[in-house]
Amino acid sequence: MSDQLPLVGRESQLRAALRALAVDGAVLLSGPPGVGKTRLAAEVLAAVPHPVVRCYATIATSRIPLGAIASHVPTDLPAGAPGPGLLPASSVRAAAEHLARGGRRVLSIDDAHLLDDTSLLVLQHVVRHKLTRVICTARLGWPGIEGLTVVHVDALDQERADALLTAALGGPADASTRHLVWSNSQGNPLYLKELVATGLHSGVLTETQGGWNWNGPLELSGRLAELVDLTLGRLAEPQRRALELLAYGEPLEPELMPIPQDLVDMGFVRVGDDGRARVAHPLYSARLRATCPTLRARAHRRALADRLEAEGAARPGDAVRVATWRLDSGTAESPDVLARAAEQALSAQDWELAERLSRAAVARGATSRVGLVLGLVLMYQRQCAQAEEVLAETMAAGGDMLTVIQVGCTRAFNLFFGLGDEDAAVAVLDEVTEQELPPELEHAVLFFALTFALEAAPLRIARLGGELLIAEGGWAETAGRQLLAFADQFAGRYTEAIERIEANHEAVTATAGRFPSLVNAANGVRNESILRIGDLAGAEQRAAQALAEVIEEDRWSVTQVPPRVLLSQSARLRGQAAAAVRITAEGIPESGALPMMWDVLLLAELAAGAALQGQSDRAERALARAEGGLRPAWRIARFAVGAARSWVLAGAGRVNEAMQAALDNAAAARAHGAHCDEIGSLHDAARFGADTSPRLLELAKTRKDPLTTAYATHAQARALRDPAGLEEVAAAFAACGANLYAAEALAEASRLSRLHDRPREAERLERQASALAESFDGATTPGLVVTSTLAALTPRQLEIARLAVAGLTNVEIAERLAIAKRTVDNHLHTTYAAVGVTGRGGLRALFGQG
């Protein structure tokens, strides 16, 4: 990492400072420590064509008259009577004129708030009489002097901080790392730089396939710790202890800790709109906790717990706070308090704390009550086998009816979606329903069973179950409508799915407290359906927001999968192959982890993105992991893996095999009723050369959403070899944002126009396709490489050329196509001559892989 980071996000301040320096002659860059005032001043000075007099004020020079500017003024200035260490007016004037000697120059003073009184008098004289141009930097709150135009330099916003992080690392960081660095630096460039240096030095910040990743604790050390200690060194001992207490309990209400106004005034404490106090910067909190003696830290936590219990601890989340402080102070004894706190932590989706509290409760004998919490946490940590052990033990211990049902349904969910054991999951639900249940609980169990049916059985089964639930009314009707929305989405009826979700929204929201999974399910159906109808921008906005919330709340990575898959799919439609790979790679579990169903979907999406980017080896590895993780019960997931398989084959140059794989996947999806996957695979098969237009037109006729209609029109235009139809559907794709498909349609239209001896038309269409492809980041497909140069090749020559570009030897190509090696040799020889290259290197360049 370079010692000098680039200037990011300071364009407006740079312009304002240059303008003030040119027009007013004096500018003050004012802001908190570490925001880059000195760096910005350097950029201003670099842009000014005048010599610079540089002065640096420090704590040491602040005690010495003229300390900061001593090397630039005469040494024989006479002292006078105005006061100790001050100069008479004549000497001040002489010093100021000496600083300005030589005509046009710029006086630069760094950390002007540390100037001694004498130096400040000289600076005032220079500015008041405009003897020379002046630029100063100073901390926020310094009153400055009359005549200085103030330019405020604040911390960077998150977008600009992310850009600075990318520049510091020389490449992008994954979303979790970006959030960690942003939340701890708060956009302070100096802190960001030192956080990166600390992470690199300790080895917790490393480069992975998904980008730079922070994997480990954040420990303040080295230069970063020195910087924070320097700031905290301004505190008196009573102030430090008060700030320590806040660091262990933040945010704190005034009744738990009266707000120390002196710390607010010094910038160490901020009070939120809710009236609660917080330490002003997270690094201050971290350093205070790291340096607090153990016994004092326990005393702080014990005091906080005592105060909150004395207040009644009646607010939501208070049980979690008390239990955590008691646990950390060594005074936690009540398993009931710990169990209740674990449940609240789980409700707040603080998985790590929920696990810690539940394990502490188990250690004190509260097994049955917290078994559900611990089982859920283990499941979301991808430790599904351990979750099954805990949940089975908890279920065997019995309890009240509601608890048994909750544990049973959670256990069945883990068995099905975590371990892929459909029979065991159904057996658990059968066990739960052996006792006579109240209608609402019986309907809840049926809803769980039908969510399995959505994945494992033909969709008509789940649809029938949804209709039965609707007939029951009440909560069952809400759940039934949700199931039908799922079925509509899987069936490719996206408009109907969205309408059903919107009509059911109020009822789902009303049950959020008891059945939060309904809210998550509804959002998932809506987001994916929005993408599938062709509203890429709307889907991206919703998915990006969902992913940001998951990362910000530090939920387990498996909960990041749905928005990551959606964002990657949209990126692929736009031709953003590298972005798609980065988005999915960030969320891929470690190779040793047993994949849950959602992990299989993410691995399949990574395989498709890597194939689109031309990374055949990486695509094949991801596909192998996805196929190895599949379970027979996960039939819908199997179709996603099947779609990825066809693209991995295409990326390796095996286009005919890819076409057949897509057709096979479409047939399997059709048999299940999953027409969503059937539509996608039929369109892929058409792009690989099959005529799937009759079936796609049949499906589009009953759906009428823009993207499905465009798929059918695209397939039909390809089958009819209709350049005008392809140009028209390219416009439809572009209107949705699916620029990859639009470019393919235009490239094919160009090829056909050239074959029809319309060269001008072909060139125009090729230019349009190339213009779209300029925004792509590495996307390559069989349809995109049909340029004017390659249009003259026969289908067999094109197939052999693709296999050669994929890296196969002539012998391997011959074996793959069941033809003689001499035939391959001849085809490649004539291909090189036809396209004007001398070997495979030139061929790779034509295919966009040079």
Side-chain angles (χ1 to χ4, degrees):
M1 183 181 68
S2 171
D3 288 338
Q4 180 81 311
L5 292 181
L7 194 70
V8 172
R10 300 301 190 197
E11 294 80 8
S12 61
Q13 290 97 330
L14 179 59
R15 287 194 298 271
L18 286 169
R19 184 169 57 251
L21 198 61
V23 176
D24 305 323
V27 62
L28 168 63
L29 304 180
S30 173
V35 293
K37 302 182 294 295
T38 301
R39 179 77 177 85
L40 179 59
E43 290 293 325
V44 173
L45 293 171
V48 179
H50 306 301
V52 179
V53 176
R54 301 179 188 272
C55 303
Y56 304 92
T58 66
I59 293 176
T61 64
S62 68
R63 303 185 182 96
I64 304 171
L66 296 177
I69 62 174
S71 61
H72 300 287
V73 298
T75 59
D76 56 351
L77 291 171
L86 297 182
L87 298 177
S90 59
S91 295
V92 169
R93 184 169 56 252
E97 291 173 349
H98 196 80
L99 281 171
R101 75 187 188 283
R104 298 169 64 84
R105 52 175 26 186
V106 180
L107 173 62
S108 168
I109 300 181
D110 198 33
D111 286 339
H113 58 280
L114 296 176
L115 284 174
D116 62 277
D117 291 342
T118 308
S119 297
L120 189 59
L121 285 174
V122 174
L123 177 62
Q124 286 175 330
H125 189 89
V126 169
V127 173
R128 183 181 301 118
H129 295 282
K130 297 186 177 181
L131 299 181
T132 190
R133 289 177 172 81
V134 175
I135 181 169
C136 299
T137 69
R139 286 192 178 180
L140 195 66
W142 185 59
I145 58 177
E146 185 179 352
L148 285 172
T149 300
V150 179
V151 174
H152 292 287
V153 185
D154 298 317
L156 300 172
D157 61 24
Q158 186 165 3
E159 181 180 355
R160 290 179 172 87
D162 288 347
L164 185 61
L165 176 62
T166 300
L169 292 171
D174 64 32
S176 296
T177 300
R178 293 197 302 273
H179 174 70
L180 181 145
V181 172
W182 158 253
S183 61
N184 283 281
S185 71
Q186 295 290 290
N188 184 303
L190 180 60
Y191 287 163
L192 185 150
K193 174 186 173 183
E194 296 304 330
L195 276 167
V196 170
T198 297
L200 292 172
H201 179 73
S202 63
V204 296
L205 183 57
T206 57
E207 192 170 14
T208 67
Q209 288 187 333
W212 285 89
N213 172 255
W214 193 296
N215 185 19
L218 173 60
E219 297 179 354
L220 272 65
S221 60
R223 173 67 176 154
L224 181 59
E226 291 175 5
L227 287 169
V228 177
D229 286 342
L230 187 64
T231 301
L232 295 176
R234 298 162 52 204
L235 295 168
E237 184 60 24
Q239 292 174 322
R240 187 180 185 98
R241 288 187 178 239
L243 202 60
E244 283 175 355
L245 183 69
L246 182 56
Y248 281 110
E250 63 183 334
L252 288 179
E253 299 78 4
E255 53 268 29
L256 294 182
M257 177 182 173
I259 297 171
Q261 190 58 45
D262 58 336
L263 292 178
V264 175
D265 295 339
M266 294 173 70
F268 285 107
V269 173
R270 59 185 175 87
V271 180
D273 295 337
D274 56 3
R276 297 193 294 177
R278 295 165 172 81
V279 178
H281 199 286
L283 292 182
Y284 300 168
S285 293
R287 188 60 179 164
L288 287 165
R289 292 192 297 267
T291 56
C292 184
T294 301
L295 293 178
R296 195 159 83 201
R298 289 181 178 176
H300 284 322
R301 289 160 168 152
R302 184 169 61 252
L304 288 166
D306 290 343
R307 292 181 190 182
L308 185 53
E309 286 181 330
E311 291 290 332
R315 290 175 295 248
D318 278 356
V320 174
R321 299 167 80 189
V322 169
T324 306
W325 291 332
R326 290 287 183 212
L327 198 60
D328 289 338
S329 66
T331 59
E333 297 297 337
S334 170
D336 288 337
V337 171
L338 290 168
R340 186 168 70 254
E343 292 165 354
Q344 289 187 7
L346 182 66
S347 297
Q349 301 193 48
D350 189 337
W351 310 111
E352 185 174 351
L353 181 58
E355 179 184 8
R356 183 168 175 240
L357 292 170
S358 59
R359 289 193 182 279
V362 168
R364 289 164 175 79
T367 307
S368 60
R369 183 165 181 179
V370 295
L372 175 60
V373 175
L374 186 55
L376 274 167
V377 169
L378 289 169
M379 179 179 71
Y380 280 111
Q381 285 180 309
R382 295 187 175 94
Q383 299 178 39
C384 299
Q386 291 176 270
E388 161 59 11
E389 292 179 8
V390 170
L391 292 168
E393 181 182 348
T394 305
M395 190 171 172
D400 62 86
M401 181 182 295
L402 180 59
T403 299
V404 170
I405 290 172
Q406 288 176 324
V407 172
C409 289
T410 303
R411 184 184 173 196
F413 187 93
N414 179 62
L415 284 165
F416 187 91
F417 291 107
L419 298 173
D421 193 337
E422 181 182 2
D423 293 339
V426 172
V428 168
L429 292 182
D430 288 342
E431 183 180 343
V432 168
T433 54
E434 284 179 355
Q435 56 183 319
E436 188 171 342
L437 303 176
E440 186 175 77
L441 295 180
E442 185 177 352
H443 297 152
V445 175
L446 178 57
F447 175 71
F448 261 86
L450 289 171
T451 59
F452 303 160
L454 278 166
E455 184 74 29
L459 284 184
R460 62 180 181 275
I461 305 298
R463 193 176 290 278
L464 177 61
E467 298 287 0
L468 291 173
L469 281 174
I470 289 174
E472 295 293 331
W475 178 85
E477 181 177 358
T478 302
R481 294 188 187 282
Q482 177 61 53
L483 278 165
L484 292 185
F486 260 125
D488 285 337
Q489 175 204 321
F490 288 147
R493 298 185 178 278
Y494 314 118
T495 303
E496 291 92 329
I498 293 171
E499 290 173 352
R500 204 181 293 275
I501 290 295
E502 290 177 348
N504 207 32
H505 175 72
E506 188 174 336
V508 168
T509 303
T511 65
R514 291 176 298 157
F515 302 103
S517 60
L518 276 185
V519 177
N520 296 333
N523 288 335
V525 170
R526 184 197 296 267
N527 294 351
E528 184 157 349
S529 296
I530 287 173
L531 176 72
R532 300 286 185 178
I533 64 174
D535 183 3
L536 270 64
E540 287 166 351
Q541 181 179 3
R542 293 177 65 90
Q545 181 180 351
L547 180 59
E549 289 174 357
V550 170
I551 292 172
E552 183 176 349
E553 294 170 11
D554 200 21
R555 303 180 202 168
W556 295 115
S557 56
V558 72
T559 62
Q560 300 178 16
V561 169
R564 285 192 184 280
V565 168
L566 203 64
L567 288 169
S568 177
Q569 289 172 341
S570 186
R572 286 196 292 115
L573 287 170
R574 292 188 183 279
Q576 302 296 313
V581 169
R582 176 181 53 77
I583 290 165
T584 49
E586 288 179 8
I588 296 297
E590 296 178 1
S591 57
L594 183 67
M596 301 177 74
M597 189 197 74
W598 296 278
D599 297 325
V600 169
L601 294 174
L602 194 63
L603 284 162
E605 184 58 34
L606 174 60
L612 180 63
Q613 199 180 9
Q615 299 181 4
S616 294
D617 291 344
R618 188 176 187 181
E620 288 173 2
R621 290 195 302 271
L623 180 64
R625 284 190 65 188
E627 291 178 330
L630 266 177
R631 301 292 182 270
W634 302 340
R635 290 182 179 84
I636 297 288
R638 186 172 295 278
F639 304 142
V641 174
R645 183 184 302 112
S646 65
W647 275 103
V648 172
L649 289 167
R654 301 157 65 177
V655 179
N656 286 342
E657 293 175 65
M659 179 180 68
Q660 189 58 53
L663 291 171
D664 292 344
N665 200 52
R670 179 178 184 177
H672 190 81
H675 302 302
C676 168
D677 294 285
E678 181 191 6
I679 290 168
S681 285
L682 286 174
H683 184 236
D684 285 344
R687 294 162 66 199
F688 297 142
D691 180 8
T692 59
S693 58
R695 176 59 179 163
L696 276 173
L697 288 167
E698 178 186 346
L699 289 165
K701 190 180 299 182
T702 57
R703 284 160 177 81
K704 303 186 185 303
D705 62 82
L707 204 50
T708 302
T709 300
Y711 288 162
T713 306
H714 188 198
Q716 183 182 45
R718 282 185 60 99
L720 295 175
R721 302 169 68 81
D722 175 13
L726 286 165
E727 185 175 6
E728 185 176 340
V729 79
F733 280 135
C736 294
N739 289 340
L740 178 69
Y741 297 161
E744 283 188 4
L746 289 169
E748 178 66 7
S750 172
R751 186 183 75 86
L752 291 171
S753 294
R754 200 171 298 280
L755 291 176
H756 295 162
D757 199 24
R758 295 199 289 269
R760 290 185 178 178
E761 190 74 2
E763 289 173 5
R764 178 181 66 83
L765 292 166
E766 186 178 337
R767 284 196 300 272
Q768 292 180 12
S770 298
L772 284 174
E774 285 180 0
S775 66
F776 299 170
D777 57 357
T780 58
T781 72
L784 283 178
V785 297
V786 183
T787 63
S788 58
T789 306
L790 297 172
L793 299 181
T794 67
R796 178 60 98 181
Q797 287 174 328
L798 196 58
E799 182 179 27
I800 291 174
R802 287 192 177 108
L803 292 172
V805 167
L808 275 69
T809 66
N810 288 13
V811 172
E812 290 169 335
I813 294 172
E815 292 174 351
R816 175 73 54 80
L817 301 179
I819 57 178
K821 176 182 176 296
R822 181 180 295 276
T823 303
V824 175
D825 295 339
N826 291 337
H827 273 304
L828 281 177
H829 180 74
T830 55
T831 295
Y832 295 154
V835 299
V837 299
T838 57
R840 294 186 180 219
L843 207 57
R844 279 194 292 273
L846 285 176
F847 276 81
Q849 299 182 25

